Amino acid sequence: MEKKILLTDCPDAKGLIAKITNICYKHQLNINKNDEFVDHENGRFFMRTELEGRFNDETLLADLDDALPAGAQRRLVKAGKKRIVILVTKETHCLGDILMKNYAGALDMDIVAVIGNYDTLAELTGKFDIPFHAVSHEDLSRTEHEEQVLAELTGKFEIPFHAVSHEDLSRTEHEEQVRAIIDGYQPDYVILAKYMRVLTPSFVEAYPRKLINIHHSFLPAFIGARPYRQAFDRGVKLIGATAHFVTDDLDEGPIIEQDVIHVGHAFSADDMAKAGRDVEKSVLSRALELVLNERVFVYGNKTVVFK
Amino acid sequence: MEKKILLTDCPDAKGLIAKITNICYKHQLNINKNDEFVDHENGRFFMRTELEGRFNDETLLADLDDALPAGAQRRLVKAGKKRIVILVTKETHCLGDILMKNYAGALDMDIVAVIGNYDTLAELTGKFDIPFHAVSHEDLSRTEHEEQVLAELTGKFEIPFHAVSHEDLSRTEHEEQVRAIIDGYQPDYVILAKYMRVLTPSFVEAYPRKLINIHHSFLPAFIGARPYRQAFDRGVKLIGATAHFVTDDLDEGPIIEQDVIHVGHAFSADDMAKAGRDVEKSVLSRALELVLNERVFVYGNKTVVFK
Amino acid sequence: MEKKILLTDCPDAKGLIAKITNICYKHQLNINKNDEFVDHENGRFFMRTELEGRFNDETLLADLDDALPAGAQRRLVKAGKKRIVILVTKETHCLGDILMKNYAGALDMDIVAVIGNYDTLAELTGKFDIPFHAVSHEDLSRTEHEEQVLAELTGKFEIPFHAVSHEDLSRTEHEEQVRAIIDGYQPDYVILAKYMRVLTPSFVEAYPRKLINIHHSFLPAFIGARPYRQAFDRGVKLIGATAHFVTDDLDEGPIIEQDVIHVGHAFSADDMAKAGRDVEKSVLSRALELVLNERVFVYGNKTVVFK
Amino acid sequence: MEKKILLTDCPDAKGLIAKITNICYKHQLNINKNDEFVDHENGRFFMRTELEGRFNDETLLADLDDALPAGAQRRLVKAGKKRIVILVTKETHCLGDILMKNYAGALDMDIVAVIGNYDTLAELTGKFDIPFHAVSHEDLSRTEHEEQVLAELTGKFEIPFHAVSHEDLSRTEHEEQVRAIIDGYQPDYVILAKYMRVLTPSFVEAYPRKLINIHHSFLPAFIGARPYRQAFDRGVKLIGATAHFVTDDLDEGPIIEQDVIHVGHAFSADDMAKAGRDVEKSVLSRALELVLNERVFVYGNKTVVFK
């Protein structure tokens, strides 16, 4: 007896649940759990079906294709572990939480590699016997003075200075190296666990619906750099985090999961950042679990999430 | 085109979703929303189906009865307003919130009457042109001194002294009067909106799955009288509220909805009670909405709630 | 024995707590509760002191003025009820909740009047024996056809058409009528309980730190009109509400209180608006309680809130 | 310039804040943050003062002792890292989270040792170069068959079988070994990070106000063994976690922090346990931060927590 998940996504029509569940029934598959959603505004039907039994994938999918309307997408996914590559910069909390959950077997995944644009997190990754690749984008020919100037700029903008100081060519070159490493691992998903470097459109296009980012604000508030500073300056009473698929528009992809915590006037921007770390890691972790369990459909700029 | 909700609850078996949705399809009914749940531990299947179309109730239910296994329960409910009777004592917040939502048309209900064991809330109810019935259980022959003594006792125990001071006969008599009034209105549900009087088993049995209570604690913590005092004495950092169906066991019926709020050392027992009012009224109100929309199945001492 | 609250707000300096509490001690006043906050970034000190005893306001304030640094603000406020005027348009939930809390004596206020730009809520207000003033901004000379066109526009933009269709003069005239009514009541605060009309700068300037608005989003996300539609289109997983003081910048004043609730893909824009009503009313109500209890300092575009 | 925290706890009296802050002022110490609380019911005053300057501890404390009423307790604590010993059984999540925060320097502590009643977590602890001590309480003379029987029992009761099967002597012997190891490290606090073994009164008495436990339920609900099973059987809609100081009464010590998450009918007891892990680790971690920052006073069976 195997377990698989059937994911159907098609134009809405009468009798779709009956048709799909009938086919499953004919194939003597048991439905352990079923979820559907109809977006009446856009006339689209979504269904996630947890099946158990003996599968003949070919005939099952053929039967479905006969029954479903034109424009239907369907996938039959074997339940089980996904291959994950993680991209990081310097912050410990999100990577640490995922490494620990991976170690404990708490999520259906194998972390196959971690890639950093700094080597700061190599040691931590190494503790868990996972390969770490540092792909630096630093210009090694800089003088010490130049480094100081850039370091100050970084302090002001809270983003790696390389994001602004390097020309497009070197950005592209850097991404090519990162992509080569990613592609060597053939991952199912690439997680940006506080990877503080803006991606180019061609990078994003190379991994459609595979790139998951954690943004340190309740999007769409405080898009862009230094969201905690923005939140502090605005005097908000809540700060949040958003896990989303990455698309071309910075911080604008389909949202998977969000959460907030209460803060008050006594929180400095740094206190907010510190308090935010727990909600960041927990939102990313919950989003990962949803994606790994095949509970998330993406359509347009939104998601359907069957919890 | 009508809208109805089909509620099915039966022993689990293969192909149930297919069978039920097929019957709907044959009857040319559109499924707007569908939810199922299988309790694998107890082998029971639950399904709630929002249907739209032209209904022939008789043949639809007959077809279902042919298809469903022995021990099945199914109901076809017309979407629309339910008749509600509310029982109260002296506190304003829960009654006030429901009256306001009733006035605004925010819930699918008509409040047809309010019954109080005091007349404290007659004025408020009257503002909304809803009949109020005061059914006192006070012994009018008491001296002023006796009243004072009893009032002090009440202060100590936070429950109406009548609950303890009257003998069984008078309790039964009081309930008979209340029941006569309730039955005159033929309500779908009876809401205990801070009705601070313990009900007898025979009262509870007269309204199976129709009595909904709001308890001012996160059950099963602080069962019984004066939960906020108990919470204060224990030094908890959260206080809550629980909406549940009433069964014979005091504060032990199937839970529909619960929520909590954070409190701290600076909250006195009275502050907790005050802060708790908002969570009480919001939990009761959400539970009511779930029940009115036919989203709640009761089985054993638990509920299945399709949100 | 009286109870008063001392509110001090001044440039930070050494020994401020000692100086202020010493003066209170010399005046034989008991401190029931004390809160301080120093904004180290801006070098500003805030202190809220609940005092009990026999007050000689004049000498107490004189002593404080001698002790505090230049640029200090201090107020000695008698604990007790504030006078409130409420501005509304057509929505019931926020006004209803405040009326009910006023009726129950749950907040330290007297609602002295409600003013609407429509008469929709006159009946509800009347139930509680509170004067309602309808100040229409409708041009009564419109033809039926013009009304229809405008009604359609309203449907599209979810803001009262008058907001866009009337010229500045009439807006000013309308506000003058509203201001005349407000000023006749001499309120301590003016609450915008879903008042869906943009205020002019001169209106806002007339009531500094007295205008409190509830905005139906988690600011600064979804500023402006139709926030629930914006939230729906963005596919967020949380919706919120923000209570803030009103300043010249639309939806940009100092935030008093915020909260959110979880939503999902199954929520239409209307469902979000419906779900949002409970969080709107509860956020406004909590903000009101904080302000009425003199727990909120405003400075710059932020607040210090001693909970 | 040093930073220290002054913690005062004494019978309430007039002018206490003035007296204490005056003494600080005379010593030319700057108050960065100050919090007070008066328990009016019990007439007790609590104050936490963050000081900065040049300290003469001896004269400062002497001045305080002169000024404070009889029965006062005061401590002057240097801000900085505390020494922590962690006790564990087999579960990864709480230990893992604390190890990671220790590695990241996110909490003011040094984990000096981990002690387990099994060696399951030795490997994980070793990754972070922290000594791990396994102190088994297993009777090595058991046959394989006996082990199987006991393992089954364990499965049924969700507590280590040793808790019931060993006689008092061996429990005492086991604890003596554990205590010897703990005492060798001279820790400031001992954290029970899912240590699934009941402690004897003499163990508890040896570490007054130093033992912090995470209980996997919202206490006082579901005291004792298998709280998630209890929660499942009761059909609750929220599950929680409680961090508390350990006293003689099992699960009855002063509560430091609590939180809950929403669950539904679709959660099995195992799903609840899994979902509960995140709230357990986050509650324990927040409690630890509060204790490490000297924000928690214990009195009677309650805490005062200055957040």
Side-chain angles (χ1 to χ4, degrees):
Chain A
M1 298 287 269
E2 274 182 305
K3 289 187 179 190
K4 295 194 178 182
I5 300 167
L6 175 64
L7 301 155
T8 313
D9 165 4
C10 65
D12 192 23
K14 266 200 180 172
L16 283 171
I17 305 176
K19 282 174 188 165
I20 298 169
T21 54
N22 261 327
I23 291 169
C24 298
Y25 185 50
K26 276 184 220 156
H27 280 255
Q28 302 196 6
L29 298 168
N30 212 10
I31 297 179
N32 281 335
K33 196 171 182 323
N34 196 51
D35 290 286
E36 319 93 31
F37 169 63
V38 178
D39 177 343
H40 292 286
E41 197 166 314
N42 295 301
R44 191 129 194 122
F45 171 89
F46 302 86
M47 182 158 149
R48 178 188 183 276
T49 313
E50 292 186 9
L51 295 166
E52 190 169 3
R54 292 200 187 148
F55 289 82
N56 184 330
D57 289 24
E58 213 170 315
T59 58
L60 178 61
L61 292 174
D63 286 354
L64 285 165
D65 289 340
D66 287 348
L68 294 175
Q73 296 182 321
R74 81 290 174 282
R75 288 192 302 145
L76 187 64
V77 189
K78 216 184 145 173
K81 292 196 173 186
K82 303 285 190 299
R83 292 171 66 81
I84 303 293
V85 167
I86 303 177
L87 266 61
V88 298
T89 296
K90 290 175 169 179
E91 287 177 88
T92 309
H93 57 289
C94 284
L95 176 65
D97 193 51
I98 302 174
L99 285 173
M100 202 59 85
K101 289 198 156 149
N102 191 58
Y103 176 78
L107 293 174
D108 269 343
M109 66 178 182
D110 284 317
I111 302 177
V112 292
V114 178
I115 304 171
N117 55 334
Y118 290 86
D119 62 3
T120 315
L121 298 172
E123 188 195 81
L124 178 62
T125 306
K127 287 183 191 302
F128 293 90
D129 303 318
I130 290 166
F132 184 93
H133 302 265
V135 184
S136 174
H137 40 71
E138 304 219 9
D139 181 352
L140 299 170
S141 62
R142 270 191 214 118
T143 65
E144 203 176 314
H145 174 72
E146 284 172 335
E147 287 292 347
Q148 279 176 1
V149 171
L150 288 169
E152 278 170 37
L153 283 171
T154 303
K156 273 195 193 126
F157 295 106
E158 203 180 82
I159 45 168
F161 44 83
H162 315 88
V164 282
S165 66
H166 277 210
E167 61 259 274
D168 281 349
L169 185 64
S170 89
R171 172 177 298 277
T172 302
E173 283 169 353
H174 180 260
E175 282 193 351
E176 273 168 13
Q177 290 179 49
V178 173
R179 285 179 56 180
I181 297 168
I182 292 174
D183 295 343
Y185 285 103
Q186 293 290 323
D188 295 297
Y189 294 100
V190 177
I191 311 302
L192 309 179
K194 305 286 289 175
Y195 183 66
M196 305 304 279
R197 204 170 149 79
V198 177
L199 300 170
T200 66
S202 71
F203 189 101
V204 172
E205 278 157 27
Y207 305 102
R209 300 186 180 188
K210 290 188 161 190
L211 287 173
I212 295 170
N213 185 46
I214 179 74
H215 183 82
H216 41 324
S217 94
F218 170 66
L219 290 177
F222 311 129
I223 288 175
R226 306 188 80 201
Y228 290 118
R229 184 71 217 183
Q230 291 183 55
F232 173 79
D233 289 340
R234 181 62 187 88
V236 291
K237 303 301 185 191
L238 296 172
I239 55 171
T242 304
H244 62 98
F245 287 102
V246 181
T247 55
D248 263 18
D249 291 319
L250 177 69
D251 301 339
E252 288 287 354
I255 293 169
I256 305 165
E257 180 72 313
Q258 302 190 289
D259 214 345
V260 296
I261 50 170
H262 286 261
V263 293
H265 59 265
F267 284 68
S268 67
D270 278 352
D271 292 336
M272 286 186 183
K274 197 182 169 195
R277 275 176 209 133
D278 270 338
V279 71
E280 286 171 24
K281 82 181 188 196
S282 113
V283 166
L284 177 56
S285 184
R286 275 147 52 193
L288 248 178
E289 184 165 16
L290 292 167
V291 169
L292 293 170
N293 292 342
E294 304 287 354
R295 296 180 177 280
V296 184
F297 288 81
V298 179
Y299 76 116
N301 200 39
K302 297 166 98 173
T303 59
V304 170
V305 180
F306 292 123
K307 290 200 178 175
Chain B
M1 299 287 270
E2 273 183 305
K3 288 188 179 188
K4 295 194 177 180
I5 301 168
L6 176 65
L7 300 155
T8 312
D9 165 4
C10 65
D12 193 22
K14 265 201 182 173
L16 282 171
I17 305 176
K19 282 173 189 163
I20 298 169
T21 54
N22 261 329
I23 291 169
C24 297
Y25 186 51
K26 275 185 221 155
H27 280 255
Q28 301 196 8
L29 298 168
N30 212 10
I31 297 178
N32 282 334
K33 196 170 181 324
N34 196 51
D35 290 286
E36 317 92 34
F37 169 64
V38 178
D39 177 343
H40 292 286
E41 197 165 314
N42 295 301
R44 191 127 194 124
F45 172 88
F46 302 86
M47 183 159 148
R48 177 188 183 277
T49 314
E50 293 186 9
L51 294 166
E52 190 169 1
R54 291 200 186 148
F55 290 81
N56 183 328
D57 289 25
E58 214 171 314
T59 59
L60 178 61
L61 292 174
D63 286 354
L64 285 164
D65 289 340
D66 287 349
L68 295 174
Q73 296 182 321
R74 80 290 175 284
R75 288 193 301 146
L76 186 65
V77 188
K78 215 182 146 175
K81 293 196 172 184
K82 302 287 190 298
R83 293 171 66 81
I84 303 293
V85 166
I86 303 176
L87 265 61
V88 298
T89 296
K90 289 175 170 181
E91 286 177 88
T92 309
H93 56 290
C94 284
L95 176 65
D97 194 51
I98 302 174
L99 285 174
M100 201 60 84
K101 288 200 156 148
N102 191 60
Y103 176 78
L107 293 174
D108 269 342
M109 65 179 184
D110 284 317
I111 302 177
V112 291
V114 177
I115 304 171
N117 55 336
Y118 290 86
D119 62 4
T120 316
L121 298 173
E123 187 195 81
L124 178 63
T125 306
K127 289 183 190 302
F128 293 89
D129 303 319
I130 290 167
F132 185 92
H133 303 264
V135 184
S136 175
H137 39 70
E138 303 218 11
D139 181 352
L140 299 170
S141 62
R142 271 191 213 114
T143 64
E144 203 175 314
H145 173 72
E146 284 172 333
E147 287 292 346
Q148 278 176 2
V149 170
L150 288 169
E152 276 169 39
L153 283 172
T154 304
K156 270 194 195 130
F157 295 105
E158 202 180 80
I159 43 167
F161 45 83
H162 315 87
V164 283
S165 65
H166 278 212
E167 63 257 275
D168 280 349
L169 186 64
S170 91
R171 172 178 299 279
T172 302
E173 283 168 352
H174 180 260
E175 281 193 350
E176 272 168 14
Q177 289 180 50
V178 173
R179 284 179 58 179
I181 297 168
I182 293 174
D183 295 343
Y185 286 102
Q186 294 290 324
D188 295 296
Y189 294 100
V190 177
I191 311 303
L192 309 179
K194 304 287 287 176
Y195 183 66
M196 305 304 279
R197 204 170 150 79
V198 176
L199 300 170
T200 66
S202 71
F203 188 102
V204 172
E205 278 158 28
Y207 306 102
R209 300 186 181 187
K210 289 189 163 189
L211 287 173
I212 296 169
N213 185 44
I214 179 74
H215 184 82
H216 41 325
S217 95
F218 171 65
L219 291 175
F222 310 129
I223 288 175
R226 304 188 81 201
Y228 290 117
R229 184 71 217 183
Q230 292 183 54
F232 173 78
D233 288 340
R234 182 63 189 88
V236 291
K237 303 300 186 191
L238 294 173
I239 54 170
T242 303
H244 63 99
F245 287 102
V246 181
T247 56
D248 262 17
D249 291 320
L250 177 67
D251 301 337
E252 287 288 355
I255 293 169
I256 305 165
E257 180 72 313
Q258 302 189 289
D259 214 344
V260 296
I261 50 170
H262 286 261
V263 294
H265 59 264
F267 284 69
S268 67
D270 279 351
D271 292 336
M272 286 187 182
K274 196 182 170 195
R277 276 175 209 135
D278 270 338
V279 72
E280 287 171 23
K281 81 181 188 196
S282 114
V283 166
L284 177 57
S285 185
R286 274 147 54 192
L288 248 178
E289 183 165 16
L290 292 167
V291 169
L292 294 171
N293 292 342
E294 304 286 355
R295 296 180 177 280
V296 184
F297 288 80
V298 179
Y299 76 116
N301 200 38
K302 297 167 96 172
T303 59
V304 171
V305 180
F306 291 123
K307 290 200 177 175
Chain C
M1 299 286 269
E2 274 183 306
K3 289 188 179 190
K4 295 193 179 183
I5 302 168
L6 175 64
L7 300 154
T8 313
D9 165 5
C10 66
D12 193 23
K14 267 201 179 172
L16 283 171
I17 304 176
K19 283 173 187 165
I20 299 169
T21 53
N22 260 329
I23 291 168
C24 297
Y25 185 52
K26 275 184 221 156
H27 281 256
Q28 301 195 10
L29 298 167
N30 212 10
I31 297 179
N32 282 335
K33 195 171 183 324
N34 196 50
D35 290 286
E36 319 92 33
F37 169 63
V38 178
D39 177 343
H40 292 286
E41 196 166 314
N42 295 301
R44 192 130 194 120
F45 171 88
F46 302 86
M47 183 160 147
R48 177 187 183 277
T49 314
E50 293 186 9
L51 294 166
E52 191 169 0
R54 289 198 190 152
F55 290 82
N56 184 330
D57 290 24
E58 214 171 314
T59 58
L60 179 61
L61 293 174
D63 286 354
L64 285 165
D65 288 340
D66 287 348
L68 295 174
Q73 298 182 323
R74 80 288 174 286
R75 287 193 302 145
L76 187 65
V77 188
K78 216 183 144 173
K81 294 198 171 183
K82 302 285 189 299
R83 293 171 63 83
I84 302 294
V85 166
I86 303 177
L87 267 60
V88 298
T89 296
K90 289 176 170 180
E91 287 177 89
T92 309
H93 57 290
C94 284
L95 175 64
D97 194 50
I98 302 173
L99 285 173
M100 200 61 84
K101 288 198 157 151
N102 191 61
Y103 176 79
L107 294 173
D108 269 343
M109 65 178 183
D110 284 316
I111 301 177
V112 292
V114 177
I115 304 172
N117 56 336
Y118 290 86
D119 61 4
T120 316
L121 298 173
E123 188 196 81
L124 179 62
T125 306
K127 288 183 190 304
F128 293 89
D129 303 318
I130 290 167
F132 184 93
H133 303 264
V135 183
S136 175
H137 40 69
E138 303 218 11
D139 180 352
L140 298 170
S141 63
R142 269 190 216 118
T143 66
E144 202 175 314
H145 174 72
E146 283 171 336
E147 287 292 348
Q148 278 177 2
V149 171
L150 287 168
E152 277 170 38
L153 283 172
T154 304
K156 270 193 195 132
F157 294 105
E158 202 180 84
I159 44 169
F161 46 83
H162 316 88
V164 282
S165 66
H166 279 212
E167 62 259 272
D168 280 350
L169 185 66
S170 90
R171 172 177 299 277
T172 303
E173 283 169 353
H174 180 260
E175 282 193 351
E176 273 168 12
Q177 290 180 49
V178 173
R179 285 179 57 180
I181 298 168
I182 292 174
D183 295 344
Y185 285 101
Q186 294 291 324
D188 295 296
Y189 294 101
V190 177
I191 311 303
L192 309 179
K194 305 286 288 178
Y195 183 65
M196 305 304 279
R197 204 171 150 77
V198 177
L199 300 169
T200 66
S202 71
F203 188 102
V204 172
E205 278 157 28
Y207 305 102
R209 299 187 182 188
K210 289 189 162 189
L211 287 172
I212 295 170
N213 185 44
I214 179 73
H215 183 82
H216 41 324
S217 94
F218 171 66
L219 291 176
F222 310 129
I223 287 174
R226 306 188 80 202
Y228 290 117
R229 183 71 217 185
Q230 291 182 56
F232 173 79
D233 289 341
R234 182 63 189 88
V236 292
K237 303 300 186 192
L238 294 172
I239 55 171
T242 304
H244 62 99
F245 287 102
V246 181
T247 55
D248 263 18
D249 290 319
L250 177 68
D251 301 338
E252 288 289 352
I255 293 169
I256 305 165
E257 180 71 314
Q258 302 190 289
D259 214 344
V260 296
I261 50 169
H262 286 261
V263 294
H265 60 264
F267 283 69
S268 67
D270 279 352
D271 292 336
M272 286 187 181
K274 196 181 169 195
R277 275 175 210 134
D278 270 338
V279 72
E280 287 171 24
K281 81 180 188 196
S282 113
V283 165
L284 177 57
S285 183
R286 275 147 53 193
L288 248 178
E289 183 165 16
L290 293 166
V291 169
L292 294 171
N293 292 343
E294 305 286 354
R295 297 180 177 281
V296 185
F297 288 80
V298 180
Y299 76 116
N301 199 39
K302 297 167 97 172
T303 59
V304 171
V305 180
F306 292 123
K307 290 198 178 177
Chain D
M1 299 286 270
E2 275 182 305
K3 289 188 178 187
K4 295 194 178 181
I5 301 167
L6 175 65
L7 300 155
T8 313
D9 165 3
C10 65
D12 193 23
K14 265 200 184 175
L16 283 171
I17 304 176
K19 282 173 188 164
I20 299 170
T21 54
N22 261 328
I23 291 169
C24 297
Y25 185 50
K26 275 184 221 157
H27 280 255
Q28 302 196 8
L29 298 168
N30 212 8
I31 296 178
N32 282 335
K33 196 170 181 325
N34 196 50
D35 290 286
E36 318 93 31
F37 169 63
V38 179
D39 177 343
H40 292 287
E41 196 165 315
N42 295 301
R44 191 129 193 121
F45 171 88
F46 302 86
M47 182 158 147
R48 178 189 182 275
T49 313
E50 292 186 10
L51 295 166
E52 190 169 2
R54 291 200 189 149
F55 289 82
N56 184 329
D57 289 24
E58 214 171 315
T59 58
L60 178 62
L61 292 174
D63 287 353
L64 285 164
D65 289 339
D66 287 349
L68 293 175
Q73 297 182 319
R74 81 290 173 283
R75 288 191 301 144
L76 186 64
V77 189
K78 216 184 144 173
K81 294 196 171 185
K82 304 286 191 297
R83 293 171 65 82
I84 303 293
V85 166
I86 303 177
L87 267 60
V88 298
T89 296
K90 291 176 169 179
E91 287 177 89
T92 310
H93 58 289
C94 285
L95 176 64
D97 193 50
I98 302 174
L99 286 173
M100 201 60 83
K101 288 198 157 151
N102 191 60
Y103 176 79
L107 293 174
D108 269 343
M109 65 178 183
D110 284 316
I111 302 176
V112 292
V114 178
I115 304 171
N117 55 336
Y118 291 86
D119 62 4
T120 315
L121 298 172
E123 188 196 81
L124 178 62
T125 306
K127 288 183 191 300
F128 293 89
D129 304 318
I130 291 167
F132 184 93
H133 304 264
V135 184
S136 175
H137 40 71
E138 304 220 10
D139 181 352
L140 299 171
S141 62
R142 270 189 214 119
T143 65
E144 202 176 314
H145 174 71
E146 284 170 335
E147 286 293 346
Q148 278 177 1
V149 170
L150 288 169
E152 276 169 39
L153 283 172
T154 304
K156 271 196 194 127
F157 295 105
E158 202 180 82
I159 44 168
F161 45 82
H162 314 87
V164 282
S165 65
H166 277 213
E167 62 258 272
D168 279 350
L169 185 64
S170 90
R171 172 177 299 277
T172 303
E173 283 169 352
H174 181 260
E175 282 193 352
E176 273 168 13
Q177 289 180 51
V178 173
R179 284 179 57 179
I181 297 169
I182 292 174
D183 295 343
Y185 286 101
Q186 293 291 324
D188 296 296
Y189 294 101
V190 177
I191 311 302
L192 310 178
K194 306 285 289 176
Y195 183 65
M196 305 305 279
R197 205 172 149 77
V198 177
L199 300 170
T200 66
S202 71
F203 189 102
V204 172
E205 278 157 28
Y207 305 101
R209 299 186 183 188
K210 289 189 162 190
L211 287 173
I212 296 169
N213 184 44
I214 179 74
H215 183 83
H216 41 325
S217 93
F218 170 65
L219 289 175
F222 311 129
I223 287 175
R226 304 188 82 203
Y228 290 117
R229 183 72 217 183
Q230 292 183 54
F232 173 78
D233 288 341
R234 181 63 187 88
V236 291
K237 304 300 186 190
L238 295 172
I239 55 172
T242 304
H244 62 98
F245 287 102
V246 181
T247 56
D248 264 18
D249 291 321
L250 176 68
D251 301 338
E252 288 289 352
I255 293 169
I256 306 165
E257 179 72 314
Q258 302 190 288
D259 213 345
V260 296
I261 50 169
H262 286 261
V263 294
H265 59 264
F267 284 68
S268 67
D270 279 352
D271 291 338
M272 286 186 181
K274 197 182 169 195
R277 276 177 208 133
D278 271 337
V279 72
E280 286 172 24
K281 81 181 188 196
S282 114
V283 166
L284 177 57
S285 184
R286 275 147 53 192
L288 249 178
E289 184 166 15
L290 292 167
V291 169
L292 294 170
N293 291 343
E294 305 287 354
R295 296 179 176 281
V296 184
F297 288 81
V298 180
Y299 76 116
N301 200 39
K302 297 166 99 173
T303 59
V304 171
V305 180
F306 291 123
K307 291 202 176 174

